[in-house]
Amino acid sequence: MPPQKPFRAVIVGGGLVGLTAAHIFFKANIDFVILERHDDLLPDIGSLLNIWPPTFRILDQLGLLDAMEPVLNTVKLGVSMSAEDGSVFSQLDPDTIFIQHHGYGVRVAHRPHFIEVLYQTLPDSAKERIKLKKHVVNVKVLDDGVSVECADGTVEEGSIIIGADGVHSRIRQCMQALAEGKSPPERSQLSKSPYVTTFRMLFGNIPVPPGQKTGVNYEGASERVSTQLITGESQAWIGVYEALDKPTSERIRYTDQDKEKMMERWGHLYMAPGLTVRDAFALRIGTPGLISLEEGHVDSWKWKRIVLVGDAVRKLEPHAGLGYNSGVADVVVLVNKLRRLLRTEPSPTTEALEAVFADYQSDRKKDEPKIDGMSRRRARMTAWLSPMNKIMAKYIAPWTNLAYYSMRYVAAPIIVRVPVLEWLEEKGLPETLQIPYLYHPMPEGMELKEPTKRSVSGSSSYGLSILTGTVVLAALAAVGFQSYRRLH
């Protein structure tokens, strides 16, 4: 009988999800290599990243909370306003509410800074497994392993391939072609995207504008366009979201002229009371970015020894800031299941891996419609794509306290169901929470605990009157989740 091959994961993509996967695989003592096509792990243009409570639990387990603290910013106030004149519709303190409910607030970080901490905190032996300038041209799936061929002629062999290579995933392209019995398309051949672009975003980084408080998220709403200013401790992030004339699946490459035209077109809108788009972009540091905001999901996340995670399987509009957080949850669920399998089968068969991947896909798809729906509705409310959006944002949401009810009845049930790494200790979660989590790490696996019903703010959390409940449900159906901020 031939000797068994040691298990090795070939992870394609060295971005946020890929580097987080490196930490998780290292802690799980599962061998891996990361192939990243760029020659630098840090993005050229820095945008914003939003960290949700379940992701903080994972960072705690990985021992990264202290290292991350200097790059994290707290959002103490969320302001919904008119982009036309800067008048305020409503305000909310989301941080306090999230901490009371889930133990952690929602915090933001400059994406390059967060990536740098993820990389620098890896052990040297893990850093050595990250290979740059690796453009994948082809993959092969054999009975007992996989191989990944790169443009420079190198080949990486392993047991499985994990596609963490983003919206335009090369691994997804190759996987779908192989599943159809075809050869993977040429790298230069742009295949049709499974996602649809309805909005595009112009964004940049600026110093905190004079007279503006730190820790505030301003969202300005208008007809088919919205603005955003988020002020951190030492810098601020700005964005303008514009609805396209017609949704498209085509890949669009924007020019500097496109950026200038968009800045000029919406320069009169307000980023915050007293601060226009033109004023804000005049303060910009470096070159602004202009990107398409794809939305959607793919039906199949796996084939034989290939599995996909993160933006390779779903793309969320960034107002709710759930993209990275969803990708982390993908890796957590996948590695939990892989680790269990490897304890009994150190060199698993393709059939055994297919069963694990199918189970992973099934688990992660359970909340997909709700998460996708929240992100979609959130964007469409701020851009007022319908008269109802405008009515809800200006009148119904402020008068019904929709933001709080959304956090309690829309976000919370999803947040508490996100799993943790089942074998690693969690140190920072408070023992008493208003809304307990379902999953907790245990020495011999994960224990499922049904949360007890607890009071919220001194009253029954299930005690909504029929009138209030009707208004809240109608509002949610029309515009989605008001309290979710675009902090991505």
Side-chain angles (χ1 to χ4, degrees):
M1 184 176 180
Q4 293 183 334
K5 292 183 178 180
F7 189 88
R8 187 185 194 225
V10 181
I11 303 170
V12 179
L16 284 162
V17 173
L19 288 177
T20 306
H23 280 276
I24 293 173
F25 272 82
F26 186 84
K27 290 288 188 179
N29 197 28
I30 300 175
D31 191 18
F32 69 93
V33 62
I34 290 181
L35 306 180
E36 168 55 41
R37 67 185 181 90
H38 291 100
D39 57 5
D40 191 341
L41 291 175
L42 296 182
D44 294 331
I45 301 175
S47 57
L48 194 69
L49 182 68
N50 179 15
I51 312 300
W52 279 76
T55 301
F56 276 114
R57 298 185 69 194
I58 304 305
L59 295 176
D60 177 13
Q61 291 186 283
L62 296 172
L64 299 178
L65 283 183
D66 288 344
M68 285 295 180
E69 183 61 32
V71 304
L72 298 173
N73 298 264
T74 300
V75 176
K76 305 168 188 174
L77 182 65
V79 179
S80 176
M81 54 172 253
S82 166
E84 296 291 343
D85 59 19
S87 59
V88 174
F89 302 148
S90 61
Q91 300 184 21
L92 179 75
D93 174 4
D95 189 60
T96 299
I97 296 171
F98 269 107
I99 290 174
Q100 291 172 349
H101 286 180
H102 308 296
Y104 296 99
V106 176
R107 302 180 71 184
V108 301
H110 193 49
R111 184 180 296 256
H113 296 165
F114 193 91
I115 290 176
E116 185 172 11
V117 174
L118 280 178
Y119 176 74
Q120 294 297 343
T121 50
L122 282 169
D124 289 341
S125 60
K127 291 178 182 176
E128 293 169 358
R129 305 181 206 184
I130 300 174
K131 301 184 179 183
L132 303 177
K133 296 190 287 187
K134 296 296 181 180
H135 294 263
V136 174
V137 295
N138 194 17
V139 302
K140 294 180 179 178
V141 178
L142 309 174
D143 290 339
D144 61 347
V146 297
S147 64
V148 179
E149 300 172 6
C150 299
D152 61 3
T154 59
V155 177
E156 288 291 340
E157 296 184 345
S159 307
I160 63 171
I161 300 171
I162 299 176
D165 49 342
V167 173
H168 306 292
S169 171
R170 176 62 178 169
I171 296 303
R172 184 182 63 230
Q173 288 181 335
C174 294
M175 184 189 82
Q176 291 173 342
L178 291 172
E180 296 170 1
K182 302 176 182 178
S183 299
E186 296 293 329
R187 280 198 306 134
S188 58
Q189 180 181 342
L190 296 178
S191 59
K192 186 176 181 180
S193 173
Y195 306 136
V196 175
T197 298
T198 302
F199 299 90
R200 62 180 181 176
M201 177 178 67
L202 178 71
F203 65 96
N205 309 308
I206 64 174
V208 177
Q212 295 294 334
K213 296 180 179 179
T214 61
V216 182
N217 174 30
Y218 293 99
E219 290 188 358
S222 186
E223 302 286 347
R224 298 182 63 83
V225 64
S226 64
T227 64
Q228 185 168 43
L229 166 70
I230 302 175
T231 56
E233 295 299 322
S234 59
Q235 71 177 99
W237 299 266
I238 52 177
V240 178
Y241 305 81
E242 180 183 60
L244 302 181
D245 293 336
K246 183 179 179 181
T248 180
S249 292
E250 299 298 322
R251 190 170 180 178
I252 306 173
R253 299 186 184 278
Y254 296 108
T255 65
D256 289 340
Q257 188 177 23
D258 293 327
K259 301 174 188 177
E260 292 296 332
K261 287 182 177 180
M262 191 167 168
M263 277 189 280
E264 181 61 29
R265 182 161 56 251
W266 304 116
H268 65 285
L269 296 180
Y270 283 86
M271 285 281 188
L275 181 72
T276 66
V277 169
R278 187 174 293 107
D279 296 335
F281 274 96
L283 301 173
R284 65 185 182 270
I285 302 169
T287 304
L290 179 58
I291 59 173
S292 295
L293 300 178
E294 299 92 343
E295 299 170 291
H297 64 275
V298 299
D299 293 328
S300 181
W301 301 10
K302 78 294 186 284
W303 183 78
K304 293 193 175 181
R305 290 175 174 264
I306 304 175
V307 65
L308 307 175
V309 298
D311 286 353
V313 298
R314 83 179 69 72
K315 185 63 176 68
L316 302 172
E317 203 282 341
H319 268 85
L322 292 167
Y324 169 63
N325 299 274
S326 295
V328 171
D330 291 342
V331 178
V332 168
V333 172
L334 178 61
V335 174
N336 279 341
K337 296 180 184 299
L338 273 177
R339 185 174 173 273
R340 281 185 233 141
L341 174 64
L342 294 175
R343 292 173 71 179
T344 57
E345 295 185 50
S347 186
T349 64
T350 299
E351 291 74 18
L353 289 167
E354 285 180 310
V356 164
F357 294 164
D359 194 29
Y360 148 73
Q361 176 178 297
S362 176
D363 277 4
R364 290 296 297 137
K365 276 193 171 184
K366 290 175 182 176
D367 282 328
E368 283 294 304
K370 299 173 185 175
I371 293 172
D372 180 71
M374 287 192 298
S375 295
R376 287 176 181 270
R377 292 189 298 268
R378 188 70 191 85
R380 284 148 180 79
M381 184 188 73
T382 56
W384 292 354
L385 295 187
S386 71
M388 180 57 73
N389 294 157
K390 183 175 182 178
I391 292 171
M392 292 300 302
K394 292 189 70 171
Y395 307 111
I396 297 179
W399 284 97
T400 60
N401 199 19
L402 178 61
Y404 172 77
Y405 288 118
S406 298
M407 296 175 77
R408 177 61 183 87
Y409 294 99
V410 179
I414 295 174
I415 290 173
V416 300
R417 288 198 297 270
V418 179
V420 292
L421 297 166
E422 56 190 23
W423 76 96
L424 285 181
E425 181 184 6
E426 183 179 14
K427 299 178 181 179
L429 189 68
E431 293 184 5
T432 302
L433 297 173
Q434 289 186 350
I435 309 176
Y437 289 97
L438 287 174
Y439 295 102
H440 300 270
M442 299 293 287
E444 297 302 324
M446 203 179 310
E447 178 185 19
L448 179 63
K449 296 182 179 180
E450 291 296 336
T452 57
K453 295 181 180 179
R454 301 185 180 212
S455 63
V456 179
S457 300
S459 61
S460 171
S461 60
Y462 299 91
L464 291 175
S465 68
I466 293 176
L467 175 61
T468 303
T470 301
V471 171
V472 170
L473 291 174
L476 288 173
V479 303
F481 183 30
Q482 164 69 11
S483 68
Y484 272 63
R485 302 295 178 200
R486 188 267 165 192
L487 300 172
H488 197 263

